[in-house]
Amino acid sequence: MSNFNRSGAVFLRRRFLKIMGTTAALWGLGSSVAKAQPAAAKPEKAQEQLPQLHQLLQLRIGYQKSAVNLVILKQQGVLEKRFPNTKITWAEFPAGPQLLEALSVGSLEFGLTGDSPPVFAQAAGKDLVYVGAEPPKPDSSAILVLNDSPLKTLADLKGRKIALQKGSSAHYLLVRAVEKAGLQWSDIQPIYLPPADARAAFERKSVDAWAIWDPFYAAIELAIKPRALATGRDLSSNNSFYLASRPLATQHPQVLAVLFEELTRADAIAQSSRKEAIKLISDFSGLDAGVVSLFIQRRPASPVGPLNAATVADQQRVADAFLKLGLIPRPIRVAEIVWRPESARLAQLARQ
């Protein structure tokens, strides 16, 4: 190994350990990674470029309007600065199922979805990997009815038409609502529509209720003031997951470390510089600033890190619920496609 490659490998390993140690602390992942951080390691500048032994030529990122951290990074051009030799491209999707379909066919390397889309994708045999997560956002989704609707409780959903995006986080929210109401899935009439079509159907009363997430939830809340029969609280954690192509996860763990670092920095902007965050998101999405403000208010602090055991267990419950209802074709083990920055991989990086 040349002196250049050897020094690059040492720097890369230290940088990777530093970032993963930070996310380990944030996410309760244990102290093994954090303890591996050399005590005398010098802090790097925020925009210092990583020497990559295996250059990532392109990074295609899928996002939705609800992806606050990703939208801030996009608007600020942060990743383009961190990876000047990598072609960064961004693609917007209306919901998670469409995003993961693009990821599974090789059109993306990285993206963010809610809890249900990865379950459907894994059950369908799609090749993708959970690499990161944000904390739960139970207040950011709801089952809505119009203000003059006769429906008052979740039990009143029996026999009713409910609009939702199939395979989205709203799908699991509705599964849990039906269960809590003491109903069977066969007791309701799910109407599978993407968010824009679902809103139109809801407003013209073609459906009786709508299961939806922010910012669509915030937008219609401010526009026509519907009632929420229930939110995710006591129904669903409404976890958000970052997924990656297998090549990105296995060949470029250092890139994931930088992504976690920058996504967590973006979240700090959303929390501490609210006006700046609202403007960035509003300018990108075309959403009214009031809508953006409302959905960010419902969003807790959302640092990004690898999945911990509790999050994996929570996601397994989502998968088991869909299996029980026959909504996915086979049982799956979520843990089988969870990326783990284990010590063996760090040792491999150090030997390069």
Side-chain angles (χ1 to χ4, degrees):
M1 178 185 291
S2 69
N3 289 335
F4 174 80
N5 283 342
R6 190 181 305 277
S7 62
V10 171
F11 178 88
L12 176 58
R13 179 177 181 275
R14 288 180 176 176
R15 179 66 167 167
F16 186 62
L17 287 167
K18 175 178 180 290
I19 297 170
M20 297 315 295
T22 300
T23 56
L26 285 169
W27 280 83
L29 297 175
S31 58
S32 59
V33 175
K35 287 181 178 178
Q37 166 70 21
K42 297 180 180 179
E44 279 74 36
K45 296 179 181 179
Q47 297 301 322
E48 187 167 2
Q49 175 62 29
L50 281 174
Q52 296 180 24
L53 302 184
H54 301 290
Q55 180 64 43
L56 181 64
L57 299 179
Q58 67 175 356
L59 179 58
R60 296 166 296 179
I61 301 170
Y63 63 102
Q64 304 171 58
K65 284 183 170 62
S66 58
V68 170
N69 292 345
L70 280 174
V71 169
I72 290 173
L73 289 192
K74 180 182 184 298
Q75 290 297 88
Q76 292 188 326
V78 170
L79 298 182
E80 288 79 1
K81 296 173 185 175
R82 292 301 300 267
F83 301 110
N85 298 317
T86 301
K87 182 180 179 182
I88 309 286
T89 55
W90 300 80
E92 184 181 352
F93 293 84
Q98 296 91 325
L99 189 156
L100 291 189
E101 179 62 27
L103 182 64
S104 69
V105 299
S107 298
L108 297 174
E109 279 75 46
F110 188 75
L112 176 71
T113 81
D115 51 18
S116 302
V119 168
F120 280 81
Q122 185 180 2
K126 306 295 187 183
D127 188 23
L128 37 77
V129 185
Y130 291 92
V131 292
E134 294 180 1
K137 301 175 181 65
D139 295 321
S140 296
S141 60
I143 297 173
L144 303 175
V145 296
L146 294 174
N147 198 45
D148 61 355
S149 170
L151 279 64
K152 304 297 182 184
T153 69
L154 291 176
D156 294 333
L157 292 174
K158 185 173 183 178
R160 301 292 185 163
K161 295 178 180 178
I162 303 135
L164 68 151
Q165 165 73 59
K166 185 175 184 178
S168 70
S169 60
H171 203 156
Y172 182 62
L173 177 71
L174 185 57
V175 165
R176 290 284 296 116
V178 168
E179 181 181 33
K180 185 174 182 180
L183 302 176
Q184 301 298 315
W185 187 251
S186 58
D187 288 331
I188 66 166
Q189 299 180 57
I191 306 298
Y192 297 121
L193 296 169
D197 293 339
R199 174 169 174 167
F202 181 69
E203 292 193 73
R204 66 174 179 261
K205 300 187 177 182
S206 297
V207 296
D208 301 293
W210 183 22
I212 192 56
W213 62 91
D214 274 329
F216 305 104
Y217 171 22
I220 199 164
E221 186 176 9
L222 292 181
I224 65 170
K225 302 189 185 312
R227 287 187 288 111
L229 285 185
T231 67
R233 197 159 291 278
D234 299 324
L235 290 178
S236 167
S237 297
N238 196 28
N239 289 311
S240 298
F241 293 100
Y242 291 89
L243 291 103
S245 66
R246 194 167 297 277
L248 179 65
T250 57
Q251 299 172 24
H252 301 279
Q254 73 279 16
V255 172
L256 294 177
V258 173
L259 285 168
F260 293 165
E261 177 186 38
E262 292 296 351
L263 287 163
T264 298
R265 184 197 59 79
D267 177 67
I269 292 174
Q271 299 302 320
S272 63
S273 302
R274 189 59 57 85
K275 288 184 179 179
E276 179 185 357
I278 290 171
K279 186 176 188 311
L280 287 169
I281 296 166
S282 183
D283 287 349
F284 149 74
S285 65
L287 291 170
D288 180 82
V291 171
V292 177
S293 177
L294 178 57
F295 93 76
I296 289 185
Q297 286 173 31
R298 284 198 275 251
R299 176 183 178 273
S302 299
V304 179
L307 280 67
N308 59 27
T311 305
V312 173
D314 201 16
Q315 187 68 348
Q316 186 63 51
R317 284 189 286 272
V318 176
D320 293 345
F322 283 124
L323 178 67
K324 181 180 178 181
L325 294 174
L327 297 176
I328 57 175
R330 62 183 179 90
I332 60 171
R333 290 190 64 248
V334 170
E336 290 179 351
I337 62 166
V338 173
W339 173 76
R340 301 182 188 282
E342 297 170 337
S343 58
R345 180 58 180 155
L346 298 179
Q348 181 182 352
L349 284 171
R351 289 195 299 270
Q352 292 179 333

